[in-house]
Amino acid sequence: MQTILVANPKGGSGKTTLATNLAGWLAGRKQRVVLADFDPLRSATEWLARRPPLFPAITSWTPALDRDDIKDKNPHWMVMDTPAGLHGEGLRDAMRRADILLLPVSPSMFDMAATKHFLDQIGEYKAVKKGDIAIGLVAMRVDPRTHSAGELDEFLNAFKFPLIAHLRATQVYVHCARDGLTVFDLPRSRAEQDWDQWRPLTRWIARQAPVKNA
């Protein structure tokens, strides 16, 4: 099982949007996927409860359940959605389990400051120093016409970890969250631009941990 950790200490950075859509992309590739919801707000779990049964299946898991439940599903992938303020031993434990860390960052000074502190913190972890975990930065809610988008790019490009994708600010993600869907469940006429923006991200993930046939 490959494990993708979606984390940022700042609330509202886009973690659940990234985690749910990532789980949907993997499920659409005929992968068995567990969406592990560590956020006490359970936004990802509630999203999954709204998911129409005809779309690619994703298994829900929360820490209230037995860990053997994950093994019973024999998943190819686990996507971990984490709470705001994750730090200390909780963060270390999550990092130990992960093969890939995705760090979503929105274009605000508050998000950027929290991200810098987070990256400084995990930079001291042995797994990060040894390169045992692949780390990618994802710019969220980006409007390329704005000055803040340029500031975000400049900020993220200053780190040694790659900036792998820019995802736009759009009501498409709002509607998907409401309906239990992902951009990959939508028709081309509604989501082609978003598919194009996800392509660098999905290709990067496939390079770190190839998506195998079910």
Side-chain angles (χ1 to χ4, degrees):
M1 179 181 70
Q2 299 288 333
T3 299
I4 301 177
L5 172 65
V6 181
N8 186 311
K10 176 73 167 54
S13 61
K15 292 186 292 293
T16 301
T17 295
L18 187 58
T20 53
N21 280 271
L22 179 57
W25 171 70
L26 289 165
R29 299 291 300 272
K30 302 186 185 305
Q31 303 291 286
R32 292 187 298 274
V33 183
V34 169
L35 180 56
D37 189 356
F38 287 84
D39 190 339
L41 297 177
R42 297 291 184 260
S43 297
T45 303
E46 292 174 0
W47 168 83
L48 199 50
R50 296 190 293 272
R51 186 163 176 77
L54 295 180
F55 286 93
I58 301 167
T59 298
S60 176
W61 186 86
T62 72
L65 300 174
D66 194 300
R67 194 167 293 278
D68 286 339
D69 291 348
I70 297 176
K71 295 179 182 178
D72 291 343
K73 300 296 182 181
N74 190 28
H76 298 106
W77 296 83
M78 180 165 69
V79 179
M80 299 170 61
D81 186 27
T82 58
L86 183 66
H87 68 284
E89 194 54 39
L91 175 59
R92 284 186 179 275
D93 183 55
M95 292 284 287
R96 290 188 194 104
R97 303 181 196 178
D99 302 291
I100 296 171
L101 167 64
L102 292 178
L103 182 62
V105 189
S106 293
S108 82
M109 292 307 299
F110 297 114
D111 284 68
M112 288 187 277
T115 297
K116 183 180 186 309
H117 178 75
F118 182 82
L119 289 174
D120 288 345
Q121 182 180 1
I122 66 171
E124 299 302 314
Y125 291 179
K126 182 183 296 185
V128 175
K129 289 182 176 180
K130 293 174 61 179
D132 291 340
I133 178 170
I135 299 175
L137 310 177
V138 182
M140 304 290 291
R141 305 191 185 102
V142 174
D143 182 345
R145 301 167 296 181
T146 62
H147 182 65
S148 62
E151 290 180 334
L152 180 60
D153 266 12
E154 183 178 357
F155 169 76
L156 294 177
N157 283 319
F159 294 101
K160 65 179 181 179
F161 308 113
L163 172 55
I164 55 178
H166 297 76
L167 304 183
R168 65 181 180 138
T170 171
Q171 287 295 299
V172 170
Y173 289 108
V174 176
H175 297 158
C176 284
R178 178 195 65 197
D179 298 332
L181 300 176
T182 76
V183 294
F184 303 101
D185 300 316
L186 301 178
R188 180 178 295 276
S189 59
R190 287 190 62 195
E192 185 170 17
Q193 182 177 351
D194 299 296
W195 296 349
D196 289 342
Q197 292 189 334
W198 270 83
R199 195 164 291 117
L201 173 53
T202 56
R203 286 176 175 171
W204 181 84
I205 290 172
R207 287 196 299 271
Q208 315 310 315
V211 178
K212 301 177 182 178
N213 293 328

